[in-house]
Amino acid sequence: MIDDRAPGRREVVAGIDVGGTNTKVLLATTDLEVLGRVDLPTPAHDGGDAILDAAEAAVRSLLDRHRASLAGVGVGAAGVVDPTTGTVLVTANSFTGWAGYGVTDAVAARLGVPATLDNDVNAFLLGEVAAGAVAGERDVLGMTLGTGVGGALVLDGTLFGGPHGAAGEIGHVPGFGDTVCTCGGRGHLETVAGARGMADRYAASTGRRLGTHQVAEAARAGDPDAQAVFAAAGWGVARAVLLTAGILDVTTVVIGGGVARSWDLLAPVISAALADEPPVSGATIRVEPSTLGPDAVALGAAAQVRRLVARR
């Protein structure tokens, strides 16, 4: 095996995006230019050691391929995490033996370099701020429209978690109707702009259950029920953006996730809603779709560990 810390090799950082179904591993230069990536199934029910076994093998394979020297590894993981201790706290039932796992200590011990851990939405936003749609912006709301709706905030150039770690959780803000959310609350943004809620809304209108990709296709084909689903989602996103602009004076937003791939259906509704009720500051609100796509979380994790390494 090539010694990945041998002198003369290009220094790189690795980013790992651990999802319930797939794990993405990438190598990037210290300027966050992606050199290579590997996508692999997540052994989510085999425990933390198995998840990191797979990720470590991918990192070492990429290091060998690119003859690079590893400076640090950043991990973005779905669920609730404690970035300070580098531990996964709570996961969905798609994982077994991952909650309670000390990720950063295990990664550092395996690869002999500094490691960081954050949740996937925070990592998504860090990626887009570092090298994506809102590169260089210092105050940004990030939203991911997936099965649910995730949120994160960068304020004055720094990720802001809040005193209880829940800052930016815009998906669970009420005021969007009275549908029961997966968390047990009512009328949360997730019920109108998350994939599960959108599918539920379409099924309630038509008696047919389709995935959001199929609902999007139906909307483009002129199905009024499908168009109404996307209109409600776009309106909900716009309301969330206006709330953030009014409370925090943050007027730059980046949106990713599977639902956001139907940006052609969401963007006109979001723009119209924002035009109807501009923020009291009079500032122009900028809403951008993700440009990093499936690399965003892993690249954001790499950006996070790059900052840690640079401070040493």
Side-chain angles (χ1 to χ4, degrees):
M1 178 182 292
I2 296 173
D3 180 358
D4 59 14
R5 288 171 291 182
R9 297 186 185 280
R10 178 188 295 192
E11 187 172 78
V12 300
V13 287
I16 302 172
D17 172 9
V18 180
T21 302
N22 295 304
T23 294
K24 176 181 284 289
V25 179
L26 60 75
L27 284 190
T29 67
T30 52
D31 292 328
L32 298 182
E33 175 191 355
V34 176
L35 298 175
R37 56 180 66 77
V38 174
D39 293 284
L40 60 148
T42 302
H45 290 295
D46 296 333
D49 286 342
I51 291 170
L52 289 192
D53 283 345
E56 179 188 357
V59 170
R60 291 193 180 278
S61 172
L62 287 168
L63 289 169
D64 286 348
R65 187 184 313 165
H66 295 279
R67 300 180 61 80
S69 173
L70 188 63
V73 180
V75 181
V80 180
V81 308
D82 183 342
T84 302
T85 63
T87 304
V88 177
L89 300 179
V90 181
T91 65
N93 58 12
S94 54
F95 286 94
T96 302
W98 188 228
Y101 195 87
V103 175
T104 55
D105 285 348
V107 170
R110 286 164 175 263
L111 292 164
V113 294
T116 57
L117 172 71
D118 217 321
N119 75 49
D120 54 351
V121 184
N122 286 349
F124 157 80
L125 178 55
L126 291 175
E128 294 292 341
V129 168
V134 289
E137 294 284 353
R138 296 189 59 78
D139 300 284
V140 188
L141 168 68
M143 297 175 65
T144 54
L145 310 181
T147 303
V149 174
L153 285 165
V154 164
L155 301 180
D156 195 24
T158 301
L159 192 67
F160 179 70
H164 307 104
E169 285 292 349
I170 199 73
H172 294 286
V173 171
F176 300 86
D178 61 1
T179 302
V180 177
C181 183
T182 55
C183 70
R186 283 189 174 271
H188 291 182
L189 174 62
E190 187 168 295
T191 65
V192 298
R196 183 186 290 112
M198 294 172 71
D200 289 347
R201 188 174 293 267
Y202 185 77
S205 298
T206 66
R208 294 186 296 138
R209 177 159 288 278
L210 301 177
T212 50
H213 177 69
Q214 294 168 301
V215 176
E217 290 179 342
R220 294 184 186 102
D223 180 338
D225 293 302
Q227 290 172 342
V229 166
F230 274 90
W235 169 83
V237 168
R239 300 299 300 173
V241 169
L242 287 167
L243 284 170
T244 306
I247 295 169
L248 293 175
D249 195 23
V250 172
T251 55
T252 300
V253 184
V254 59
I255 300 177
V259 173
R261 292 175 194 147
S262 299
W263 193 245
D264 58 312
L265 299 173
L266 291 171
V269 181
I270 294 171
S271 295
L274 294 179
D276 282 345
E277 291 189 81
V280 68
S281 67
T284 299
I285 293 180
R286 175 189 173 200
V287 181
E288 300 285 352
S290 165
T291 57
L292 297 179
D295 281 350
V297 173
L299 196 61
Q304 191 171 44
V305 80
R306 178 186 69 164
R307 180 177 293 188
L308 173 65
V309 170
R311 290 201 300 263
R312 294 193 168 203

